[in-house]
Amino acid sequence: MKLLMKKLEALLEKGGTKKDITMLVISGVSLILSLTGWNPFPFDLAWISIILCGIPIILEAIIGLVTAFDIKADVLVSIALITSVCNGEDFAAGGQDGG
């Protein structure tokens, strides 16, 4: 299980800061477009932000819990993200950025 978590951590670290900034810019643009109501797709554009920024946060929380039984901010942000999605608050979920 720890080997799997190490591989997952390595995957999350690929691309470094450049990848992180690109994902944040794309997420921000998708949230702004969602807020303005422009929607060329059959889903709310806030979902782009949920996927790009939310999935890594949730994975970091899982890695921390599994490898070190560490409960940190990622766990709380993950709970807020999942709760927002479950309540249909796509824009609120898309705004979860770990900070």
Side-chain angles (χ1 to χ4, degrees), residues 53-86:
C53 293
I55 299 295
I57 293 169
I58 292 171
L59 290 176
E60 287 290 333
I62 291 169
I63 290 168
L65 287 171
V66 170
T67 60
F69 301 106
D70 182 24
I71 297 178
K72 53 186 178 179
D74 288 343
V75 175
L76 299 175
V77 172
S78 297
I79 292 169
L81 174 67
I82 293 167
T83 302
S84 296
V85 170
C86 289

mmCIF file of all heavy atoms in Angstrom, residues 53-86:
data_model
loop_
_atom_site.group_PDB
_atom_site.id
_atom_site.type_symbol
_atom_site.label_atom_id
_atom_site.label_comp_id
_atom_site.label_asym_id
_atom_site.label_seq_id
_atom_site.Cartn_x
_atom_site.Cartn_y
_atom_site.Cartn_z
ATOM 1 N N CYS A 53 -8.337 21.139 -9.669
ATOM 2 C CA CYS A 53 -7.791 21.519 -8.362
ATOM 3 C C CYS A 53 -8.262 20.607 -7.228
ATOM 4 O O CYS A 53 -7.540 20.397 -6.266
ATOM 5 C CB CYS A 53 -8.158 22.960 -8.043
ATOM 6 S SG CYS A 53 -7.354 24.142 -9.124
ATOM 7 N N GLY A 54 -9.453 20.079 -7.352
ATOM 8 C CA GLY A 54 -10.009 19.270 -6.272
ATOM 9 C C GLY A 54 -9.429 17.877 -6.166
ATOM 10 O O GLY A 54 -9.127 17.396 -5.059
ATOM 11 N N ILE A 55 -9.247 17.219 -7.292
ATOM 12 C CA ILE A 55 -8.733 15.842 -7.272
ATOM 13 C C ILE A 55 -7.355 15.762 -6.609
ATOM 14 O O ILE A 55 -7.138 14.919 -5.742
ATOM 15 C CB ILE A 55 -8.730 15.233 -8.693
ATOM 16 C CG1 ILE A 55 -10.146 15.176 -9.266
ATOM 17 C CG2 ILE A 55 -8.061 13.868 -8.698
ATOM 18 C CD1 ILE A 55 -11.109 14.260 -8.561
ATOM 19 N N PRO A 56 -6.396 16.641 -6.967
ATOM 20 C CA PRO A 56 -5.097 16.573 -6.276
ATOM 21 C C PRO A 56 -5.196 16.796 -4.763
ATOM 22 O O PRO A 56 -4.492 16.162 -3.988
ATOM 23 C CB PRO A 56 -4.275 17.678 -6.936
ATOM 24 C CG PRO A 56 -4.884 17.843 -8.281
ATOM 25 C CD PRO A 56 -6.348 17.597 -8.082
ATOM 26 N N ILE A 57 -6.097 17.686 -4.336
ATOM 27 C CA ILE A 57 -6.271 17.932 -2.906
ATOM 28 C C ILE A 57 -6.785 16.679 -2.218
ATOM 29 O O ILE A 57 -6.293 16.276 -1.157
ATOM 30 C CB ILE A 57 -7.235 19.121 -2.670
ATOM 31 C CG1 ILE A 57 -6.599 20.419 -3.154
ATOM 32 C CG2 ILE A 57 -7.609 19.226 -1.191
ATOM 33 C CD1 ILE A 57 -7.551 21.585 -3.207
ATOM 34 N N ILE A 58 -7.774 16.034 -2.821
ATOM 35 C CA ILE A 58 -8.333 14.812 -2.242
ATOM 36 C C ILE A 58 -7.279 13.709 -2.205
ATOM 37 O O ILE A 58 -7.146 12.992 -1.204
ATOM 38 C CB ILE A 58 -9.597 14.374 -3.017
ATOM 39 C CG1 ILE A 58 -10.722 15.381 -2.779
ATOM 40 C CG2 ILE A 58 -10.027 12.965 -2.614
ATOM 41 C CD1 ILE A 58 -11.936 15.185 -3.641
ATOM 42 N N LEU A 59 -6.504 13.576 -3.278
ATOM 43 C CA LEU A 59 -5.460 12.544 -3.306
ATOM 44 C C LEU A 59 -4.394 12.796 -2.246
ATOM 45 O O LEU A 59 -3.939 11.852 -1.587
ATOM 46 C CB LEU A 59 -4.834 12.463 -4.695
ATOM 47 C CG LEU A 59 -5.730 11.902 -5.790
ATOM 48 C CD1 LEU A 59 -5.029 11.961 -7.142
ATOM 49 C CD2 LEU A 59 -6.159 10.486 -5.479
ATOM 50 N N GLU A 60 -3.993 14.051 -2.056
ATOM 51 C CA GLU A 60 -3.022 14.376 -1.001
ATOM 52 C C GLU A 60 -3.577 14.024 0.371
ATOM 53 O O GLU A 60 -2.848 13.535 1.240
ATOM 54 C CB GLU A 60 -2.636 15.856 -1.052
ATOM 55 C CG GLU A 60 -1.732 16.221 -2.196
ATOM 56 C CD GLU A 60 -0.329 15.663 -2.049
ATOM 57 O OE1 GLU A 60 0.129 15.429 -0.919
ATOM 58 O OE2 GLU A 60 0.323 15.471 -3.088
ATOM 59 N N ALA A 61 -4.862 14.279 0.584
ATOM 60 C CA ALA A 61 -5.481 13.938 1.871
ATOM 61 C C ALA A 61 -5.462 12.431 2.089
ATOM 62 O O ALA A 61 -5.141 11.954 3.189
ATOM 63 C CB ALA A 61 -6.917 14.464 1.915
ATOM 64 N N ILE A 62 -5.779 11.672 1.057
ATOM 65 C CA ILE A 62 -5.779 10.209 1.162
ATOM 66 C C ILE A 62 -4.367 9.701 1.445
ATOM 67 O O ILE A 62 -4.170 8.848 2.323
ATOM 68 C CB ILE A 62 -6.354 9.568 -0.115
ATOM 69 C CG1 ILE A 62 -7.847 9.861 -0.223
ATOM 70 C CG2 ILE A 62 -6.090 8.062 -0.138
ATOM 71 C CD1 ILE A 62 -8.456 9.508 -1.558
ATOM 72 N N ILE A 63 -3.381 10.240 0.729
ATOM 73 C CA ILE A 63 -1.989 9.826 0.943
ATOM 74 C C ILE A 63 -1.577 10.104 2.391
ATOM 75 O O ILE A 63 -0.982 9.251 3.052
ATOM 76 C CB ILE A 63 -1.039 10.537 -0.041
ATOM 77 C CG1 ILE A 63 -1.269 10.018 -1.460
ATOM 78 C CG2 ILE A 63 0.419 10.353 0.367
ATOM 79 C CD1 ILE A 63 -0.603 10.852 -2.543
ATOM 80 N N GLY A 64 -1.894 11.283 2.894
ATOM 81 C CA GLY A 64 -1.542 11.636 4.264
ATOM 82 C C GLY A 64 -2.206 10.727 5.283
ATOM 83 O O GLY A 64 -1.588 10.312 6.269
ATOM 84 N N LEU A 65 -3.464 10.407 5.057
ATOM 85 C CA LEU A 65 -4.185 9.528 5.988
ATOM 86 C C LEU A 65 -3.650 8.102 5.958
ATOM 87 O O LEU A 65 -3.485 7.472 6.992
ATOM 88 C CB LEU A 65 -5.685 9.530 5.668
ATOM 89 C CG LEU A 65 -6.444 10.789 6.053
ATOM 90 C CD1 LEU A 65 -7.856 10.742 5.484
ATOM 91 C CD2 LEU A 65 -6.486 10.956 7.559
ATOM 92 N N VAL A 66 -3.371 7.601 4.763
ATOM 93 C CA VAL A 66 -2.944 6.209 4.621
ATOM 94 C C VAL A 66 -1.504 6.003 5.090
ATOM 95 O O VAL A 66 -1.208 5.041 5.785
ATOM 96 C CB VAL A 66 -3.099 5.738 3.155
ATOM 97 C CG1 VAL A 66 -2.437 4.394 2.924
ATOM 98 C CG2 VAL A 66 -4.575 5.665 2.780
ATOM 99 N N THR A 67 -0.609 6.913 4.725
ATOM 100 C CA THR A 67 0.809 6.687 5.016
ATOM 101 C C THR A 67 1.228 7.140 6.409
ATOM 102 O O THR A 67 2.104 6.536 7.007
ATOM 103 C CB THR A 67 1.712 7.384 3.985
ATOM 104 O OG1 THR A 67 1.454 8.788 4.003
ATOM 105 C CG2 THR A 67 1.469 6.831 2.596
ATOM 106 N N ALA A 68 0.623 8.200 6.919
ATOM 107 C CA ALA A 68 1.101 8.739 8.196
ATOM 108 C C ALA A 68 -0.028 9.003 9.196
ATOM 109 O O ALA A 68 0.208 9.592 10.240
ATOM 110 C CB ALA A 68 1.870 10.030 7.948
ATOM 111 N N PHE A 69 -1.231 8.568 8.857
ATOM 112 C CA PHE A 69 -2.402 8.867 9.690
ATOM 113 C C PHE A 69 -2.448 10.351 10.029
ATOM 114 O O PHE A 69 -2.741 10.753 11.137
ATOM 115 C CB PHE A 69 -2.414 8.010 10.964
ATOM 116 C CG PHE A 69 -2.424 6.552 10.689
ATOM 117 C CD1 PHE A 69 -1.286 5.786 10.894
ATOM 118 C CD2 PHE A 69 -3.556 5.937 10.192
ATOM 119 C CE1 PHE A 69 -1.289 4.429 10.619
ATOM 120 C CE2 PHE A 69 -3.562 4.585 9.913
ATOM 121 C CZ PHE A 69 -2.424 3.832 10.134
ATOM 122 N N ASP A 70 -2.086 11.159 9.027
ATOM 123 C CA ASP A 70 -1.954 12.596 9.182
ATOM 124 C C ASP A 70 -3.242 13.287 8.754
ATOM 125 O O ASP A 70 -3.664 13.168 7.608
ATOM 126 C CB ASP A 70 -0.776 13.079 8.327
ATOM 127 C CG ASP A 70 -0.522 14.565 8.467
ATOM 128 O OD1 ASP A 70 -0.902 15.132 9.501
ATOM 129 O OD2 ASP A 70 0.067 15.142 7.537
ATOM 130 N N ILE A 71 -3.839 13.998 9.673
ATOM 131 C CA ILE A 71 -5.022 14.786 9.342
ATOM 132 C C ILE A 71 -4.573 16.235 9.282
ATOM 133 O O ILE A 71 -4.147 16.808 10.270
ATOM 134 C CB ILE A 71 -6.138 14.599 10.384
ATOM 135 C CG1 ILE A 71 -6.596 13.146 10.395
ATOM 136 C CG2 ILE A 71 -7.291 15.537 10.093
ATOM 137 C CD1 ILE A 71 -7.655 12.840 11.409
ATOM 138 N N LYS A 72 -4.629 16.802 8.090
ATOM 139 C CA LYS A 72 -4.191 18.184 7.913
ATOM 140 C C LYS A 72 -5.246 18.938 7.113
ATOM 141 O O LYS A 72 -6.341 18.445 6.884
ATOM 142 C CB LYS A 72 -2.822 18.240 7.248
ATOM 143 C CG LYS A 72 -2.715 17.453 5.956
ATOM 144 C CD LYS A 72 -1.291 17.461 5.454
ATOM 145 C CE LYS A 72 -1.208 16.620 4.193
ATOM 146 N NZ LYS A 72 0.122 16.597 3.649
ATOM 147 N N ALA A 73 -4.908 20.125 6.674
ATOM 148 C CA ALA A 73 -5.868 20.981 5.974
ATOM 149 C C ALA A 73 -6.449 20.312 4.736
ATOM 150 O O ALA A 73 -7.616 20.533 4.406
ATOM 151 C CB ALA A 73 -5.205 22.301 5.597
ATOM 152 N N ASP A 74 -5.657 19.465 4.045
ATOM 153 C CA ASP A 74 -6.167 18.794 2.847
ATOM 154 C C ASP A 74 -7.417 17.975 3.146
ATOM 155 O O ASP A 74 -8.333 17.902 2.329
ATOM 156 C CB ASP A 74 -5.100 17.877 2.241
ATOM 157 C CG ASP A 74 -3.971 18.636 1.561
ATOM 158 O OD1 ASP A 74 -4.166 19.831 1.279
ATOM 159 O OD2 ASP A 74 -2.925 18.037 1.325
ATOM 160 N N VAL A 75 -7.450 17.356 4.318
ATOM 161 C CA VAL A 75 -8.612 16.548 4.692
ATOM 162 C C VAL A 75 -9.836 17.443 4.847
ATOM 163 O O VAL A 75 -10.920 17.131 4.344
ATOM 164 C CB VAL A 75 -8.344 15.757 5.991
ATOM 165 C CG1 VAL A 75 -9.589 15.012 6.440
ATOM 166 C CG2 VAL A 75 -7.194 14.778 5.799
ATOM 167 N N LEU A 76 -9.667 18.572 5.515
ATOM 168 C CA LEU A 76 -10.796 19.475 5.724
ATOM 169 C C LEU A 76 -11.275 20.087 4.408
ATOM 170 O O LEU A 76 -12.478 20.196 4.174
ATOM 171 C CB LEU A 76 -10.406 20.574 6.716
ATOM 172 C CG LEU A 76 -10.010 20.075 8.105
ATOM 173 C CD1 LEU A 76 -9.524 21.240 8.964
ATOM 174 C CD2 LEU A 76 -11.157 19.351 8.771
ATOM 175 N N VAL A 77 -10.355 20.471 3.557
ATOM 176 C CA VAL A 77 -10.728 21.015 2.250
ATOM 177 C C VAL A 77 -11.429 19.944 1.426
ATOM 178 O O VAL A 77 -12.412 20.228 0.734
ATOM 179 C CB VAL A 77 -9.492 21.577 1.516
ATOM 180 C CG1 VAL A 77 -9.835 21.961 0.090
ATOM 181 C CG2 VAL A 77 -8.924 22.769 2.260
ATOM 182 N N SER A 78 -10.961 18.702 1.504
ATOM 183 C CA SER A 78 -11.594 17.597 0.774
ATOM 184 C C SER A 78 -13.029 17.389 1.235
ATOM 185 O O SER A 78 -13.929 17.187 0.421
ATOM 186 C CB SER A 78 -10.799 16.303 0.972
ATOM 187 O OG SER A 78 -9.514 16.431 0.444
ATOM 188 N N ILE A 79 -13.238 17.448 2.542
ATOM 189 C CA ILE A 79 -14.599 17.301 3.078
ATOM 190 C C ILE A 79 -15.492 18.431 2.571
ATOM 191 O O ILE A 79 -16.628 18.193 2.139
ATOM 192 C CB ILE A 79 -14.571 17.257 4.620
ATOM 193 C CG1 ILE A 79 -13.902 15.960 5.089
ATOM 194 C CG2 ILE A 79 -15.986 17.385 5.192
ATOM 195 C CD1 ILE A 79 -13.581 15.930 6.566
ATOM 196 N N ALA A 80 -14.975 19.671 2.583
ATOM 197 C CA ALA A 80 -15.751 20.811 2.087
ATOM 198 C C ALA A 80 -16.047 20.673 0.598
ATOM 199 O O ALA A 80 -17.160 20.955 0.142
ATOM 200 C CB ALA A 80 -14.999 22.111 2.360
ATOM 201 N N LEU A 81 -15.068 20.207 -0.170
ATOM 202 C CA LEU A 81 -15.241 20.011 -1.606
ATOM 203 C C LEU A 81 -16.319 18.973 -1.894
ATOM 204 O O LEU A 81 -17.243 19.211 -2.675
ATOM 205 C CB LEU A 81 -13.913 19.586 -2.237
ATOM 206 C CG LEU A 81 -13.928 19.205 -3.708
ATOM 207 C CD1 LEU A 81 -14.230 20.424 -4.555
ATOM 208 C CD2 LEU A 81 -12.603 18.602 -4.105
ATOM 209 N N ILE A 82 -16.207 17.838 -1.254
ATOM 210 C CA ILE A 82 -17.177 16.759 -1.474
ATOM 211 C C ILE A 82 -18.572 17.185 -1.031
ATOM 212 O O ILE A 82 -19.564 16.922 -1.718
ATOM 213 C CB ILE A 82 -16.713 15.478 -0.759
ATOM 214 C CG1 ILE A 82 -15.434 14.948 -1.436
ATOM 215 C CG2 ILE A 82 -17.811 14.419 -0.750
ATOM 216 C CD1 ILE A 82 -14.705 13.887 -0.651
ATOM 217 N N THR A 83 -18.659 17.881 0.093
ATOM 218 C CA THR A 83 -19.960 18.358 0.583
ATOM 219 C C THR A 83 -20.581 19.340 -0.406
ATOM 220 O O THR A 83 -21.781 19.266 -0.698
ATOM 221 C CB THR A 83 -19.795 19.023 1.960
ATOM 222 O OG1 THR A 83 -19.225 18.077 2.863
ATOM 223 C CG2 THR A 83 -21.123 19.505 2.505
ATOM 224 N N SER A 84 -19.775 20.251 -0.940
ATOM 225 C CA SER A 84 -20.289 21.225 -1.910
ATOM 226 C C SER A 84 -20.830 20.531 -3.157
ATOM 227 O O SER A 84 -21.900 20.876 -3.654
ATOM 228 C CB SER A 84 -19.190 22.210 -2.314
ATOM 229 O OG SER A 84 -18.781 22.980 -1.220
ATOM 230 N N VAL A 85 -20.096 19.541 -3.662
ATOM 231 C CA VAL A 85 -20.543 18.809 -4.843
ATOM 232 C C VAL A 85 -21.833 18.044 -4.539
ATOM 233 O O VAL A 85 -22.783 18.066 -5.328
ATOM 234 C CB VAL A 85 -19.442 17.856 -5.355
ATOM 235 C CG1 VAL A 85 -19.974 16.925 -6.425
ATOM 236 C CG2 VAL A 85 -18.268 18.657 -5.893
ATOM 237 N N CYS A 86 -21.875 17.391 -3.392
ATOM 238 C CA CYS A 86 -23.073 16.623 -3.022
ATOM 239 C C CYS A 86 -24.304 17.515 -2.860
ATOM 240 O O CYS A 86 -25.422 17.087 -3.128
ATOM 241 C CB CYS A 86 -22.829 15.842 -1.729
ATOM 242 S SG CYS A 86 -21.693 14.463 -1.923
#
